[in-house]
């Protein structure tokens, strides 16, 4: 009986990855087909998160709605005034989890035809990466393929953003799937799930991101008490609700009044119990497109969990 447990666990893991992927992929396809112009990033984030929950998953992280030169890590503030303009390009990156097993996927919606090819390039690079995946393929060869595809189409990959391995309740689990050719690398394992996410900018762009000033995504760093009873109550709440996964201030305002939640969160960040993630901005402020899937390598190919059909 004891000998059966690891196998049983493995099957459950895979089922949960697949279920989370089906939900995330389905929601991403609705996002792709929706006209978001005139909508606020607050409404987008809340609506997309609601769709994930409605389908029986939890959010693996706050929905990112990153506009134009912001490549990633922007989520709406509780009173966020930003709305989508009819010239914007928006990366909507969403995550679903079942028992901590994560599906991480993204789509770029674009309302300026001049940037349609930028979006196509991210999708094409993701597609060509997926078509070469199987157990044992080296991650640096995947990076080489992504880079070659993007350059062939006349664009530039973002060199310092990459895909990543996933583990239960861990989004960035240590392994990196680069978007450019890079030394080192590792063999993709059939026992692990990964996210692949090409980020693309225009040929006149720098091809790198830097940290921005805004920080509105957070994650638990340590459960060590801070000796402030209210903040420690929030610390326990974060652990119980989100484990080590990222969260947003918006997610705390059901239990705390917004200003109070903001103060307690700032206290936890100062005490290093909580980490705050800055937005990532293209260094020359050129527009960035992204596409992302989660997958499990197979001996004869790839199981893409977030296909969306
Ligand atoms: Mn993502
Ligand atoms: Mn990712």
């Amino acid at each position: 009986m004891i000998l059966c447990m690891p196998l049983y666990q493995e099957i459950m893991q895979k089922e949960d990855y697949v279920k989370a992927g089906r939900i995330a992929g389905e929601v991403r396809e609705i996002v792709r087909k929706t006209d978001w112009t005139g909508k606020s990033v607050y409404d987008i984030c809340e609506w997309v998160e609601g769709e994930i929950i409605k389908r029986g998953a939890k959010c693996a992280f706050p929905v990112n709605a990153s506009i134009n030169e912001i490549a990633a890590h922007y989520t709406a503030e509780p009173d966020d005034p930003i709305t989508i303009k009819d010239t914007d390009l928006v990366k909507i990156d969403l995550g679903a989890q079942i028992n901590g097993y994560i599906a991480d996927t993204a789509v770029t919606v674009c309302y300026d035809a001049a940037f349609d090819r930028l979006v196509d390039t991210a999708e094409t690079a993701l597609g060509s990466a997926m078509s070469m995946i199987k157990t044992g393929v080296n991650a640096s060869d995947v990076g080489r393929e992504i880079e070659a595809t993007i350059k062939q189409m006349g664009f530039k990959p973002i060199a310092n953003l990459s895909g990543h391995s996933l583990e239960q309740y861990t989004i960035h689990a240590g392994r990196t799937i680069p978007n450019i050719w890079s030394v080192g690398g590792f063999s993709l394992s059939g026992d692990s799930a990964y996210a692949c996410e090409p980020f693309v900018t225009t040929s006149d762009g720098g091809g790198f991101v830097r940290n921005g000033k805004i920080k509105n995504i957070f994650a638990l760093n340590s459960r060590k008490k801070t000796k402030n009873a209210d903040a420690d109550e929030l610390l326990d709440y974060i652990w119980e609700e989100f484990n080590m996964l990222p969260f947003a201030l918006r997610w705390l305002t059901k239990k705390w009044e917004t200003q109070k939640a903001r103060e307690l969160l700032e206290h936890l960040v100062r005490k290093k119990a909580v980490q705050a993630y800055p937005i990532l901005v293209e260094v020359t402020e050129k527009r960035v497109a992204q596409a992302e899937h989660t997958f499990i390598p197979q001996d004869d190919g790839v199981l893409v969990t977030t296909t969306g059909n």
Side-chain angles (χ1 to χ4, degrees):
M1 194 56 205
I2 283 163
L3 282 173
C4 294
M5 282 310 288
L7 180 64
Y8 175 73
Q9 220 167 23
E10 218 167 89
I11 291 165
M12 295 314 290
Q13 274 177 26
K14 194 177 163 189
E15 262 181 28
D16 288 345
Y17 272 126
V18 167
K19 191 176 174 199
R22 186 179 49 72
I23 291 169
E26 209 174 289
V27 175
R28 186 203 59 230
E29 286 313 296
I30 301 172
V31 168
R32 190 197 303 278
K33 287 169 196 138
T34 305
D35 179 3
W36 296 105
T37 54
K39 300 281 193 310
S40 71
V41 289
Y42 179 86
D43 287 343
I44 296 174
C45 293
E46 290 279 312
W47 188 84
V48 174
E49 287 163 7
E51 291 298 305
I52 292 169
I53 292 160
K54 226 163 71 180
R55 286 167 174 75
K58 286 185 174 176
C59 294
F61 50 83
V63 167
N64 291 203
S66 308
I67 302 173
N68 298 335
E69 73 278 7
I70 301 173
H73 292 179
Y74 188 92
T75 195
E77 291 290 337
D79 48 0
D80 206 310
I82 298 172
T83 58
I84 306 304
K85 295 195 290 291
D86 61 6
T87 51
D88 281 339
L89 172 154
V90 191
K91 289 137 311 267
I92 297 173
D93 192 331
L94 59 107
Q97 58 106 341
I98 305 277
N99 298 318
Y101 296 104
I102 298 162
D104 182 3
T105 187
V107 63
T108 302
V109 293
C110 178
Y111 306 109
D112 181 343
F115 292 91
D116 283 351
R117 248 184 84 75
L118 184 69
V119 177
D120 284 349
T121 302
E123 292 283 346
T124 304
L126 179 60
S128 55
M130 288 303 101
S131 64
M132 70 179 286
I133 302 279
K134 60 179 184 176
T135 308
V137 165
N138 196 291
S140 61
D141 290 329
V142 179
R144 190 206 313 268
E145 175 65 24
I146 291 171
E147 179 176 18
T149 306
I150 292 170
K151 286 184 172 167
Q152 246 163 42
M153 293 180 75
F155 294 96
K156 203 178 254 188
I158 300 290
N160 60 341
L161 285 175
S162 59
H164 46 93
S165 56
L166 294 154
E167 277 170 20
Q168 190 180 27
Y169 292 110
T170 309
I171 293 175
H172 294 103
R175 296 293 204 180
T176 287
I177 301 183
N179 290 323
I180 53 164
W181 181 83
S182 34
V183 286
F186 66 97
S187 283
L188 294 172
S189 159
D191 298 327
S192 186
Y194 303 90
C196 180
E197 47 185 317
F199 285 84
V200 186
T201 192
T202 46
S203 58
D204 58 347
F208 290 89
V209 290
R210 59 168 171 81
N211 290 343
K213 284 200 185 84
I214 299 167
K215 296 177 181 179
N216 51 27
I217 295 176
F218 305 88
L220 194 61
N221 205 18
S222 150
R223 292 190 61 204
K224 198 169 157 241
K225 295 281 186 275
T226 66
K227 294 178 183 135
N228 170 326
D230 288 346
D232 289 345
E233 190 192 343
L234 175 57
L235 197 61
D236 287 338
Y237 180 82
I238 291 166
W239 169 249
E240 279 156 30
E241 293 292 318
F242 319 124
N243 197 293
M244 301 302 283
L245 291 171
F247 62 91
L249 181 59
R250 286 183 289 112
W251 291 3
L252 308 177
T253 55
K254 278 129 207 152
K255 195 166 152 67
W256 282 271
E257 184 269 318
T258 304
Q259 194 46 41
K260 185 72 185 166
R262 198 185 291 275
E263 281 167 27
L264 295 175
L265 190 55
E266 279 168 6
H267 174 81
L268 293 178
V269 171
R270 273 197 307 276
K271 293 287 177 187
K272 297 191 164 48
V274 164
Q275 196 177 339
Y277 294 91
I279 59 166
L280 300 170
V281 187
E282 208 285 322
V283 287
T284 57
E285 303 199 347
K286 294 295 187 286
R287 290 184 171 199
V288 178
Q290 173 203 17
E292 180 175 23
H293 273 314
T294 295
F295 67 90
I296 302 172
Q298 311 285 296
D299 289 341
D300 56 354
V302 61
L303 169 63
V304 178
T305 65
T306 49
T307 50
N309 51 42

